[in-house]
Amino acid sequence: MATEIRVIGIEGLPEVTPGMELAALIVDAAKRQETPLEQDDVLVITQKVVSKAEGMLVDLDTITPSHLAKQWADEYGRDARLIEVALMQSRRVSRMDRGVLITETVHGFYCVNSGVDASNVPGESMVALLPKDPDASAARIAGEVRELTGIDAAVVITDSWGRPWRDGITNVAIGSSGIEPLRDYRGSTDPHGYDLQVTAIAVVDELAAAAELVMGKVDMVPAAIVRGYEYAASTSGVKELIRPPDRDLFR
């Protein structure tokens, strides 16, 4: 385990629009601020810029809300069009109460409004969706970084979600490439001789949360480098973290 890591925010990216080459923008911005990517860095990127580059945007003016969306939005002062998009992006509704819509997304994630979000999206009626396949997005960006720099860097794509029983949101990983998402201690023995039976650490979530400390929500820093973390290379993605229904006590 590393005894020290460094987290570096990447500043100077332009407003990302559909079709932009996001990997090139990040590589160039890191060079300009004299912190170029290095071998075995972890590149952490917010979902929002990935979604923008991939064109995962919806104009709410094109959406006709259903009766359910209208009724619920009217009751809680919400935008019925956004609720309709959230329902369209869901597999099932987990909770729809007190103005909060929690869904299982088409990816298998559980989050508010299926991850549909209007923040940091230009245009009064525009919202961003989650990437179609965040693991595939991470793998593509990692490949483009390799082509541009010759460097193998892991990539983690993040979004900010709430958590049961705790106030406040935190960054979590919704996609990853090149890094084993779990550090599994099961079968190991702790310093007191206790056999660990259930301990598996979601390292990609911990890296996502650490990176949020330098990216922020309003600071226009959509990417960060985590340097010095010793991770296991892997072709697995965040899909590995999704708990099967038969082991999920919260569905």
Side-chain angles (χ1 to χ4, degrees):
M1 294 288 291
T3 56
E4 179 178 296
I5 64 173
R6 185 181 178 198
V7 185
I8 308 163
I10 301 176
E11 301 179 275
L13 269 73
E15 176 64 40
V16 175
T17 57
M20 280 187 167
E21 296 182 1
L22 185 57
L25 294 175
I26 292 171
V27 167
D28 289 345
K31 286 180 179 177
R32 285 196 303 273
Q33 68 180 32
E34 300 183 354
T35 54
L37 283 161
E38 297 180 1
Q39 184 69 24
D40 298 327
D41 280 346
V42 181
L43 178 59
V44 182
I45 310 171
T46 62
Q47 160 268 323
K48 193 63 60 66
V49 292
V50 175
S51 293
K52 288 178 180 179
E54 294 181 353
M56 295 298 292
L57 304 170
V58 171
D59 186 344
L60 293 181
D61 286 342
T62 68
I63 300 299
T64 301
S66 63
H67 174 72
L68 172 63
K70 285 181 179 177
Q71 185 179 43
W72 195 77
D74 287 346
E75 182 176 357
Y76 292 106
R78 303 291 303 282
D79 188 327
R81 302 169 302 171
L82 188 149
I83 299 303
E84 182 64 26
V85 174
L87 293 172
M88 292 165 61
Q89 292 295 306
S90 69
R91 287 180 182 170
R92 60 185 289 270
V93 173
S94 175
R95 192 70 181 266
M96 199 170 185
D97 188 23
R98 287 173 281 180
V100 179
L101 172 62
I102 301 173
T103 66
E104 179 186 6
T105 74
V106 292
H107 319 79
F109 303 139
Y110 278 80
C111 58
V112 173
N113 293 339
S114 301
V116 178
D117 190 7
S119 65
N120 292 310
V121 180
E124 292 183 3
S125 62
M126 299 299 293
V127 295
L129 314 181
L130 298 181
K132 287 184 178 179
D133 186 338
D135 284 337
S137 299
R140 185 182 64 256
I141 292 168
E144 292 170 353
V145 168
R146 189 180 305 112
E147 291 178 4
L148 291 165
T149 66
I151 288 169
D152 287 310
V155 173
V156 176
I157 296 173
T158 74
D159 198 7
S160 296
W161 293 349
R163 301 154 295 164
W165 305 307
R166 297 178 74 91
D167 281 333
I169 60 175
T170 187
N171 250 18
V172 298
I174 65 168
S176 68
S177 177
I179 180 172
E180 185 63 47
L182 286 168
R183 186 183 289 270
D184 194 346
Y185 289 93
R186 290 173 293 185
S188 302
T189 303
D190 75 9
H192 301 284
Y194 182 80
D195 293 332
L196 301 179
Q197 299 178 14
V198 296
T199 304
I201 306 299
V203 295
V204 289
D205 285 342
E206 293 186 328
L207 291 166
E212 166 64 12
L213 297 174
V214 300
M215 293 193 293
K217 290 294 172 216
V218 295
D219 299 322
M220 299 292 288
V221 182
I225 297 166
V226 179
R227 181 162 295 161
Y229 178 71
E230 299 174 7
Y231 59 88
S234 174
T235 58
S236 298
V238 169
K239 290 185 181 73
E240 299 292 321
L241 300 184
I242 297 176
R243 184 167 290 169
D246 61 339
R247 294 197 295 112
D248 191 340
L249 300 179
F250 299 97
R251 285 177 194 251

